[in-house]
Amino acid sequence: MRSDIEILFLLSGLVLIALILLASLTLLFVAYFFARDIFKYLGRSPAVTARKRALGWEPIGRFLFISNVGTLLIFSRKSIRSGELDAKDYETLPAGLRRIILFSNGMMLVLSAIAIVGVVLGKVNGWLS
């Protein structure tokens, strides 16, 4: 018989997996249906134009592309200083699209950190073998 804490650990792990899947699907949705807008508004940014040539229709490539764009937007000051992101491009990107990309990528970062902590906690307590 499993203890209550083990059942809670299992249920929170399942919720975490569902949230990671939801955030991943949101990122893929943006990568497939808003890629043209991203290239339109971030067309002068070297980091984005370099990815344009390699972007195909496969989900992994699209996911990596939108993750890269999200990283540029999350760390926008650093990206602008290093020349990877053009400041005018960043300002012209529609606020709604920017919010969706930032929120989804931020959620992936937070959920990934929670997943790592959960795995370490599960290993230490013997809930994961």
Side-chain angles (χ1 to χ4, degrees):
M1 182 81 186
R2 299 275 181 192
S3 67
D4 290 341
I5 193 76
E6 290 174 324
I7 294 171
L8 181 64
F9 180 76
L10 173 68
L11 292 177
S12 36
L14 292 174
V15 169
L16 181 65
I17 290 170
L19 289 174
I20 288 173
L21 181 64
L22 181 65
S24 298
L25 289 175
T26 303
L27 286 172
L28 281 175
F29 175 79
V30 171
Y32 275 106
F33 294 104
F34 292 100
R36 183 176 296 136
D37 293 336
I38 291 170
F39 289 127
K40 176 182 171 186
Y41 291 109
L42 299 178
R44 292 184 298 247
S45 300
V48 176
T49 56
R51 304 308 186 276
K52 185 176 186 176
R53 286 180 235 117
L55 188 64
W57 280 100
E58 69 280 352
I60 293 175
R62 291 280 174 155
F63 188 78
L64 293 174
F65 162 72
I66 199 66
S67 296
N68 183 16
V69 170
T71 304
L72 291 173
L73 296 179
I74 288 172
F75 302 109
S76 59
R77 288 186 186 134
K78 183 179 184 274
S79 300
I80 291 171
R81 257 186 276 128
S82 67
E84 295 176 329
L85 182 65
D86 187 59
K88 290 179 185 175
D89 282 357
Y90 180 73
E91 292 170 5
T92 60
L93 187 67
L97 181 59
R98 185 182 315 150
R99 268 189 241 118
I100 291 171
I101 295 171
L102 285 173
F103 179 76
S104 299
N105 276 289
M107 285 302 296
M108 285 299 287
L109 285 172
V110 169
L111 293 172
S112 299
I114 292 171
I116 290 170
V117 168
V119 168
V120 169
L121 183 67
K123 289 280 189 182
V124 167
N125 288 324
W127 300 331
L128 297 175
S129 50

